[in-house]
Amino acid sequence: MAIPSRRKQTPLSVRLGDVAARWCITIGGIGTIVAVTAVFAFLAYVVWPLFLPAKTSSAKTSALPKLASPQLRLGLDEYGVIGWSLSEDEMLTIFRADTGELIQQRPLELAQSKTPAAAVKITAAAFANDSPGAALGLADGTVRLGQIGFRTSFVEAAKVPEALRMLPIGQRAILKDGIVERTRQGQFRLQQVDAKFHESIRVSTSPIVLIDQVAEGGKSIFCALTGDGKLLLELVTERKNQMTDEVVLKTRKIALPYKARDGQAPRHLLLTGQGENVLLAWESGDGVRIDARNLSAPAVAEELRLVLDPAAKLTALAPLIGRRTILVGDSLGQLTAWFGTRGTDVRTSDGIHLVAAHELPRSPAAVTALGASARSRLALAGYADGRTRLFNVTTESMMIESAATGQPVVEAAIGVKNDRLYAVSDNRLWSANFNPRYPEVSWSSLMLPVHYEDYPGAEHVWQSSGGTVDFEPKLGFRPLIFGTLKATCYSMLFGAPLALLAALYASEFMHPRWRARVKPTIELMASMPSVVLGFLAGNVLAQLVQGIVPQVITIFFTVPFVILLGAFVWQLIPQRRLVMWQRWRFPLIGLLAVPLGVLTGWGLGPAVERVFFAGDIMRWLDGQIGTGFGAWVLLLLPLSAVGTAICVGLFVNPWLARSAFSSRSRLAWVNLLKFILGSAVALLAAMGVSALLTHGGNWAFGGLDPRGTYVGTYVQRNALIVGFMMGFAIIPIIYTIAEDALSTVPDHLRSASLGAGATQWQTAVRIVVPAATSGLFSAVMVGLGRAVGETMIMLMATGNVPIMKWNIFDGFRTLSATIAVEMPEAPAGSMHYRVLFLAALTLFLMTFVVNTAAEIVRLRFRKRAHQM
Amino acid sequence: MSDVDAPQPPHDAPLPAEAARPQPAPPEPARPIRSAQASPRENRLTRIARGEVVEPVVHAALAGQTHVLEVRELDLWYGMKQALFNISLGAPRGQVTALIGPSGCGKSTLLRCVNRMNDLVDSVRIRGDMLLNGDSIYAAGVDVIELRKRMGMVFQKPNPFPMSVFENVVYPLRVDGQRNRAVLDEVCEESLRSAALWEEVKDRLHESALSLSGGQQQRLCIARAIASDPEVLLLDEPCSALDPIATGKIEDLIGELRGGYSIIIVTHNMQQAARISDFTALLYLGRLVEYGPTADIFTRPQLSETQDYVTGRFG
């Protein structure tokens, strides 16, 4: 007989369920990790190109047509197809850019007469690098304004000569005075040189030595130095006759102060900005800046040394885009960028001082040519050894360097579309395609102070976009990171203590029935959309608080005082009743003391303003009136209160204990007296130290004023308001988690402590809180994470000013708000777009680091409180 | 808040209330002892289970004792359910009193009433009173904190705080505001020696108490309970979570503490009660059944029901 098997088998359904559950959990877990990693990877993928170096491709050299007379300037079109060159005898040479083949030579044409002007030798010429505008100074003392540019047109296939009809796509051929190229769409694109000049303007009778011009719309300003030593500024207005289409130039002439140096004429003449300043530079490196803003009284603003090394000679000078930064190259290969800065110690007529803000990496050979980009702050420098180097001026970084040829570079230029580099040396044209990528962005420009145009010094600035073409993007990340940290700090300062104490009260003191009701109510606070909180903070609370700043500050001090006072007064109740009312002490003190404290603060506010803040807190905070005394009292009062409490605990309490007051009520009276005296002592001590710090002029530390640090100028939307509202936003989260953590502390620990004769408060502080540290820590960290990432409140209530000041009454700008504000206006793939992604990545890493650190600390706490 | 700020009188100074306390009241005249024969023939336990009032039997030997703790007609309800019925008994000073009885008989509840730990349970109502050395425990206006400082309690499960051994022992002094290191050191050593733990932990006083074994932890809890020199030591099934060797050590310890301390111990282990206690009270369903010297209860009880219980016929 077989013994029936006793083995029990797990049913298939249970096993299947087990397998399914395991797979689901595994997939879910891995999926979460993958999702987070994917977000990180995508952010990194978008950000990555920001840090790639610039790239050049298809560099080539072609011979230029051999020309007899010296060439003044060379220009190339945006496609790198056709070029022109202007010679001293007013002859325009048009050539094919890729081969150097000559297309045409023709004299300059005049817009009106259609007939070539009588050839006069050109003695000075100025060409704008961001427009086709040109000004020519002639040997007869006249000036011709006009432009040499390019004209693009598409030719119908029928009109193209037979020989060219079958031109392969991408190939070029000469057609009349231009070059035709077969585009990818099969069209014939004709590129021609378009040069037109107005009638000569008589400036002087002697030849023009130097000239420069700036043009905007129908107006232009040119400045010319004549052979007889006169510096003239001429304002030219174009007037078009509506009937005849005739253009009439109206001019106004202003003589500028000028003196030759050592009998030498300057080598460079430059109009800066819109023609506000005229800069003259001599080969010796001396420079003069003439303030020409007030045309009725132009004056020399300052004399300069534009070359840093005394042994060097000034060899090249060119303006960057916007003409406010001037690049100066010297014979020792040093390249410097100069721009005007305002400062308090500047004694020039316009309050501006030209400084060498950027020193670019030095080269062994002399700088011989400079070309600036028409789109960004790039500059191409050509050197005496035939080398060219591309610089980004703002970041002082060299991006591209070409090989030396041995022959000096006579001309260097960057294509209009910022995609091509040109250099001419030894009558050969070197050209290369290049991709600048994102020259404005580097670790140093993001994280280190940068000297931006018009700023007095190197600073952390965030201003990612501007209205003008010549805008210099300012990508200092520090103010944003600082703003995020400031927001987090002040939010936590308000929210965390309140939430933790509330959780402690609820879990340790509150009646369980009430606790069950309070918790959902507080959690309901978390469901308040943060946009509502932001709206309330920015539009209601900010305006409300602005009118009652002294009261608000006073309330911060009166409420804790009144609550403590309430606690001491409570002790005066006879013991019998005290014990019976024990359960009601917190609600009673809270309901009575908090409103009482608010009322007291409200009432005392104006008096406090008179005594400590010179009667007008706004002006006082701004530093206009009063002394730092009030601010010191504000800052020192909490410290002196804590100090007094410690002193009382150390010295007064043991003495009181020795005196052994027989009755409890007498002890309560003594305690109340002690508290009131202690408060007075704390206030007096704070005031005494403050007075010493403010008025102690005979000592080294006298006259200190904390205004401008943690307190300072009041701005309507500030960290205090944000702190209030963020407190409201993070309290529910911290409260919920903290309360859970405290509730999970085993009751047997509470019993042990209470059984040992500890009060509930002692039990809470000595046993429950240490045992729940890990949970409380997580609560704070989750709150911190919320504060770091919070966007709407920050967006609406901070004022979004990217400044770095701890001043609680000042605004700030957070990473999250920056992303929210600027992302809609950043074109996808642009530098701005990628930098905002970098902001997102930074935010991600910040929370990641904080959370990881928090988790490590939390695990340590938990390990310690384990085994319970 | 106010509890912390108010200066606590030093540990060894007489408490204000203590100074005014009258001398222990003379023992009450012994109640007439009912013999098993005097009671009706029907089993008392059945009658108790039916909810009838059954007078307890208290041995005459208790009459001559000075009582450190006296329970007077104590009733206790958990919500609507009555858990203790008219309990009256006295715990002799310097002796070990054991409370025994089957599960749910209310012996732990009674013990927790002594230091008012039941106050923490919201639904508890109490009628009657207890006297600790003549002072009422349940009168209105009694400061529970001061009351608990006069007792030490050890729980079923060892519950050392997650702190060092030293801090665990001196905790009752710490909460009294004692900061004098010499006093703390002395009390720590004294208490640990009394709890027979000193030799085992003297080199690791500043290590976590959680690293001790279960038996050591329980002795640490006893050391903590006697650190404040309590008038009565309450032990709530102190050995139920321990192995026999640890149990043996605790029992030895209780033997050593006898005389110096008045001990009330709740135990479900009758052999333990027989071994360590001087007096034993048997409770059943919230009522006191019989109370007398341990030797009498275990060898010649006056009630047959007690005989049945101590010989293991029920419970």
Side-chain angles (χ1 to χ4, degrees):
Chain A
M1 233 176 93
I3 302 163
S5 169
R6 289 225 185 110
R7 276 178 56 192
K8 297 255 169 67
Q9 287 204 322
T10 314
L12 187 66
S13 61
V14 172
R15 273 200 254 169
L16 276 178
D18 204 39
V19 169
R22 194 162 54 226
W23 273 101
C24 284
I25 291 164
T26 311
I27 290 169
I30 293 175
T32 311
I33 295 170
V34 166
V36 173
T37 316
V39 168
F40 181 82
F42 179 69
L43 292 177
Y45 166 77
V46 176
V47 168
W48 178 245
L50 284 178
F51 300 100
L52 291 177
K55 196 174 67 173
T56 51
S57 59
S58 55
K60 57 179 177 247
T61 312
S62 54
L64 290 173
K66 287 217 170 349
L67 298 165
S69 56
Q71 300 299 304
L72 292 165
R73 174 78 171 206
L74 179 131
L76 287 158
D77 78 323
E78 59 183 293
Y79 303 102
V81 172
I82 193 167
W84 56 262
S85 157
L86 185 66
S87 59
E88 282 186 354
D89 53 1
E90 288 204 302
M91 284 300 277
L92 195 62
T93 309
I94 298 163
F95 60 93
R96 205 177 141 159
D98 48 355
T99 58
E101 199 180 333
L102 182 73
I103 299 172
Q104 197 188 36
Q105 264 195 312
R106 65 180 193 226
L108 279 185
E109 46 202 305
L110 292 179
Q112 253 84 57
S113 61
K114 304 267 182 219
T115 53
V120 184
K121 193 181 172 219
I122 301 173
T123 47
F127 300 89
N129 70 340
D130 51 353
S131 72
L136 306 176
L138 305 179
D140 62 359
T142 59
V143 167
R144 254 179 222 163
L145 299 181
Q147 42 188 276
I148 310 177
F150 298 92
R151 191 170 56 229
T152 306
S153 57
F154 287 92
V155 187
E156 284 173 46
K159 291 185 181 165
V160 175
E162 291 282 341
L164 296 179
R165 279 215 191 126
M166 297 315 289
L167 197 66
I169 283 172
Q171 291 294 307
R172 296 157 190 169
I174 295 169
L175 178 65
K176 289 184 281 184
D177 61 343
I179 288 188
V180 71
E181 182 179 353
R182 194 84 188 271
T183 64
R184 268 187 213 157
Q185 287 79 27
Q187 293 165 303
F188 294 92
R189 187 178 62 204
L190 181 65
Q191 288 286 109
Q192 289 165 299
V193 174
D194 184 28
K196 281 214 172 68
F197 279 83
H198 296 294
E199 286 289 355
S200 301
I201 301 166
R202 166 115 353 240
V203 173
S204 165
T205 47
S206 67
I208 308 290
V209 179
L210 284 171
I211 191 166
D212 195 21
Q213 76 140 357
V214 289
E216 200 192 5
K219 282 183 186 171
S220 66
I221 300 173
F222 71 82
C223 184
L225 181 68
T226 59
D228 55 359
K230 287 206 170 64
L231 187 62
L232 297 162
L233 190 72
E234 200 126 350
L235 274 69
V236 184
T237 324
E238 266 181 48
R239 281 262 175 84
K240 202 173 199 177
N241 189 321
Q242 298 295 327
M243 306 296 282
T244 60
D245 264 6
E246 199 180 348
V247 175
V248 181
L249 299 182
K250 248 188 93 182
T251 63
R252 183 184 161 198
K253 195 181 289 180
I254 297 116
L256 299 180
Y258 167 73
K259 219 163 62 198
R261 300 233 160 162
D262 309 328
Q264 279 196 318
R267 203 185 141 113
H268 294 279
L269 166 70
L270 191 74
L271 278 166
T272 65
Q274 304 291 323
E276 296 93 12
N277 283 184
V278 176
L279 186 72
L280 295 171
W282 278 264
E283 193 176 5
S284 62
D286 288 333
V288 168
R289 187 167 64 86
I290 298 160
D291 175 13
R293 290 172 308 163
N294 183 357
L295 292 176
S296 54
V300 172
E302 60 179 330
E303 309 238 336
L304 300 151
R305 270 302 291 175
L306 291 169
V307 171
L308 303 179
D309 194 321
K313 294 244 175 295
L314 190 146
T315 52
L317 186 142
L320 271 191
I321 181 172
R323 287 181 165 262
R324 294 209 303 283
T325 301
I326 296 133
L327 277 179
V328 176
D330 69 21
S331 57
L332 296 177
Q334 180 66 56
L335 205 54
T336 44
W338 297 70
F339 51 74
T341 59
R342 288 181 183 280
T344 47
D345 54 338
V346 176
R347 305 216 196 293
T348 58
S349 63
D350 52 0
I352 290 173
H353 185 51
L354 211 62
V355 294
H358 300 292
E359 284 183 40
L360 301 171
R362 202 165 168 163
S363 170
V367 182
T368 51
L370 284 172
S373 161
R375 292 198 176 183
S376 65
R377 300 204 158 247
L378 297 179
L380 185 69
Y383 294 90
D385 58 1
R387 214 185 287 269
T388 56
R389 285 170 158 198
L390 181 71
F391 296 102
N392 185 51
V393 175
T394 306
T395 56
E396 300 178 10
S397 55
M398 188 181 77
M399 299 167 63
I400 291 167
E401 186 177 29
S402 74
T405 59
Q407 293 296 320
V409 176
V410 296
E411 200 154 343
I414 299 174
V416 183
K417 282 162 80 180
N418 228 13
D419 59 351
R420 208 160 274 143
L421 304 175
Y422 305 107
V424 179
S425 67
D426 191 24
N427 211 33
R428 291 172 75 79
L429 175 71
W430 171 85
S431 73
N433 291 340
F434 89 111
N435 181 357
R437 292 238 168 74
Y438 306 98
E440 303 90 344
V441 182
S442 69
W443 287 118
S444 60
S445 73
L446 290 170
M447 297 311 294
L448 297 177
V450 175
H451 197 163
Y452 295 107
E453 201 170 67
D454 298 343
Y455 279 74
E459 278 177 43
H460 297 288
V461 185
W462 173 267
Q463 195 185 351
S464 54
S465 53
T468 56
V469 182
D470 60 329
F471 173 74
E472 183 177 29
K474 299 165 188 72
L475 304 171
F477 250 46
R478 286 264 200 100
L480 304 184
I481 294 173
F482 175 90
T484 306
L485 293 178
K486 182 179 174 184
T488 312
C489 282
Y490 281 115
S491 308
M492 295 307 281
L493 209 60
F494 281 95
L498 269 181
L500 290 178
L501 289 175
L504 188 62
Y505 174 63
S507 86
E508 301 304 310
F509 299 96
M510 200 182 263
H511 196 278
R513 202 164 53 223
W514 278 98
R515 195 194 315 171
R517 282 178 205 167
V518 163
K519 201 171 180 190
T521 313
I522 289 192
E523 280 164 2
L524 207 64
M525 276 167 67
S527 67
M528 182 82 87
S530 63
V531 64
V532 176
L533 295 180
F535 165 73
L536 287 176
N539 296 30
V540 180
L541 193 63
Q543 283 161 25
L544 208 68
V545 170
Q546 193 173 23
I548 51 162
V549 178
Q551 283 88 335
V552 171
I553 291 175
T554 316
I555 283 169
F556 273 106
F557 292 93
T558 52
V559 168
F561 175 79
V562 173
I563 288 178
L564 287 175
L565 190 68
F568 281 102
V569 169
W570 181 263
Q571 295 294 324
L572 296 179
I573 298 170
Q575 191 182 7
R576 234 179 108 82
R577 292 195 183 279
L578 188 84
V579 169
M580 285 195 289
W581 293 348
Q582 193 76 339
R583 189 167 279 183
W584 295 101
R585 64 192 163 144
F586 275 106
L588 262 179
I589 291 174
L591 289 179
L592 279 175
V594 173
L596 204 63
V598 170
L599 282 179
T600 315
W602 190 273
L604 284 176
V608 168
E609 184 172 20
R610 268 198 308 282
V611 174
F612 293 120
F613 308 131
D616 184 349
I617 193 159
M618 292 298 167
R619 285 176 59 215
W620 178 84
L621 281 172
D622 202 25
Q624 297 174 26
I625 49 171
T627 61
F629 176 70
W632 279 121
V633 175
L634 274 189
L635 293 173
L636 291 176
L637 195 51
L639 288 179
S640 77
V642 171
T644 312
I646 290 172
C647 287
V648 166
L650 283 180
F651 304 115
V652 181
N653 282 351
W655 175 75
L656 282 178
R658 275 200 301 281
S659 312
F661 289 93
S662 52
S663 88
R664 196 188 172 99
S665 73
R666 191 172 295 173
L667 188 69
W669 277 109
V670 168
N671 275 333
L672 180 62
L673 194 69
K674 188 180 75 183
F675 172 69
I676 291 171
L677 284 178
S679 306
V681 166
L683 183 64
L684 287 176
M687 286 171 69
V689 175
S690 304
L692 208 61
L693 287 171
T694 319
H695 304 298
N698 294 338
W699 295 283
F701 49 84
L704 292 178
D705 192 341
R707 283 178 291 178
T709 56
Y710 295 96
V711 290
T713 308
Y714 191 91
V715 178
Q716 194 191 41
R717 297 186 176 184
N718 57 48
L720 183 77
I721 304 292
V722 174
F724 272 147
M725 264 311 154
M726 276 307 291
F728 198 79
I730 60 175
I731 281 173
I733 307 175
I734 300 183
Y735 172 86
T736 304
I737 302 174
E739 212 260 10
D740 285 345
L742 291 167
S743 301
T744 49
V745 171
D747 266 340
H748 63 72
L749 289 183
R750 285 191 191 89
S751 304
S753 172
L754 293 171
T759 62
Q760 270 182 306
W761 175 246
Q762 285 173 322
T763 304
V765 171
R766 288 168 183 262
I767 304 298
V768 179
V769 170
T773 313
S774 81
L776 298 179
F777 194 76
S778 321
V780 171
M781 281 300 147
V782 171
L784 197 75
R786 169 83 203 268
V788 169
E790 172 56 44
T791 308
M792 279 323 287
I793 296 176
M794 304 302 178
L795 187 68
M796 298 173 84
T798 62
N800 290 323
V801 279
I803 50 172
M804 300 214 288
K805 283 182 191 154
W806 278 111
N807 175 10
I808 189 171
F809 300 119
D810 213 338
F812 50 89
R813 185 187 186 103
T814 64
L815 285 167
S816 55
T818 304
I819 297 170
V821 172
E822 298 184 9
M823 200 51 113
E825 68 186 48
S830 67
M831 184 269 292
H832 190 189
Y833 176 84
R834 292 184 196 277
V835 167
L836 290 178
F837 266 75
L838 182 63
L841 190 66
T842 311
L843 203 55
F844 185 97
L845 289 176
M846 275 170 82
T847 45
F848 187 79
V849 167
V850 166
N851 284 350
T852 309
E855 188 62 18
I856 292 168
V857 176
R858 200 179 69 83
L859 286 178
R860 280 184 68 104
F861 279 132
R862 203 166 72 170
K863 210 166 141 193
R864 212 183 61 185
H866 200 47
Q867 298 172 304
M868 281 192 301
Chain B
M1 207 168 287
S2 53
D3 295 326
V4 171
D5 290 347
Q8 302 286 357
H11 164 66
D12 38 12
L15 294 166
E18 205 173 14
R21 198 170 61 215
Q23 286 306 303
E28 289 196 343
R31 298 183 183 188
I33 296 166
R34 288 181 181 223
S35 65
Q37 286 74 30
S39 65
R41 288 310 313 162
E42 199 183 356
N43 192 322
R44 285 163 167 258
L45 303 180
T46 326
R47 290 171 53 210
I48 289 174
R50 268 210 310 273
E52 287 177 28
V53 177
V54 179
E55 279 299 307
V57 176
V58 179
H59 291 211
L62 277 150
Q65 298 290 336
T66 345
H67 291 162
V68 66
L69 180 83
E70 247 181 283
V71 184
R72 287 184 179 168
E73 292 165 3
L74 192 83
D75 293 307
L76 182 141
W77 289 263
Y78 285 117
M80 299 304 290
K81 187 176 172 290
Q82 191 165 5
L84 293 178
F85 298 84
N86 197 28
I87 305 280
S88 294
L89 56 81
R93 172 166 300 159
Q95 311 274 6
V96 180
T97 307
L99 303 177
I100 61 169
S103 296
C105 71
K107 52 192 189 299
S108 283
T109 302
L110 180 61
L111 191 76
R112 290 168 64 86
C113 283
V114 177
N115 65 352
R116 291 184 64 169
M117 291 302 274
N118 283 331
D119 285 13
L120 301 176
V121 184
D122 198 46
S123 58
V124 163
R125 280 184 303 127
I126 285 167
R127 198 167 68 194
D129 199 3
M130 288 185 175
L131 298 179
L132 177 65
N133 278 329
D135 300 331
S136 170
I137 289 176
Y138 279 96
V142 168
D143 188 330
V144 183
I145 304 302
E146 279 178 17
L147 180 78
R148 289 190 189 135
K149 287 186 198 301
R150 295 166 63 185
M151 309 177 188
M153 184 156 188
V154 177
F155 297 81
Q156 241 172 321
K157 214 180 135 198
N159 55 0
F161 301 128
M163 328 172 182
S164 69
V165 171
F166 176 82
E167 286 299 330
N168 260 284
V169 177
V170 301
Y171 184 78
L173 279 71
R174 286 269 189 219
V175 299
D176 270 355
Q178 180 60 262
R179 280 206 214 90
N180 189 335
R181 189 76 197 180
V183 173
L184 293 177
D185 281 336
E186 191 195 326
V187 169
C188 177
E189 180 172 349
E190 208 174 283
S191 306
L192 285 171
R193 279 192 193 283
S194 303
L197 194 58
W198 175 253
E199 290 304 323
E200 290 166 57
V201 300
K202 65 180 178 190
D203 298 326
R204 39 202 283 216
L205 284 178
H206 297 286
E207 286 175 30
S208 169
L210 299 171
S211 63
L212 302 180
S213 74
Q216 287 174 327
Q217 288 188 1
Q218 194 62 304
R219 275 180 284 152
L220 178 66
C221 291
I222 295 176
R224 182 174 68 195
I226 60 181
S228 59
D229 198 20
E231 292 166 45
V232 61
L233 192 57
L234 310 170
L235 308 180
D236 187 358
E237 299 192 27
C239 304
S240 65
L242 303 180
D243 62 81
I245 295 171
T247 304
K249 285 187 181 171
I250 301 272
E251 287 181 6
D252 293 347
L253 171 59
I254 292 170
E256 282 163 30
L257 292 173
R258 171 188 291 129
Y261 295 92
S262 312
I263 298 172
I264 303 174
I265 179 170
V266 165
T267 178
H268 61 267
N269 181 336
M270 279 171 291
Q271 286 75 27
Q272 188 175 57
R275 280 196 296 272
I276 62 173
S277 68
D278 303 305
F279 295 91
T280 299
L282 172 66
L283 280 83
Y284 183 72
L285 291 182
R287 287 176 198 276
L288 183 61
V289 177
E290 186 169 354
Y291 181 33
T294 301
D296 292 349
I297 291 285
F298 279 88
T299 53
R300 37 181 198 286
Q302 295 180 10
L303 295 177
S304 59
E305 292 84 355
T306 309
Q307 178 78 33
D308 290 347
Y309 183 71
V310 298
T311 52
R313 262 176 239 162
F314 86 95

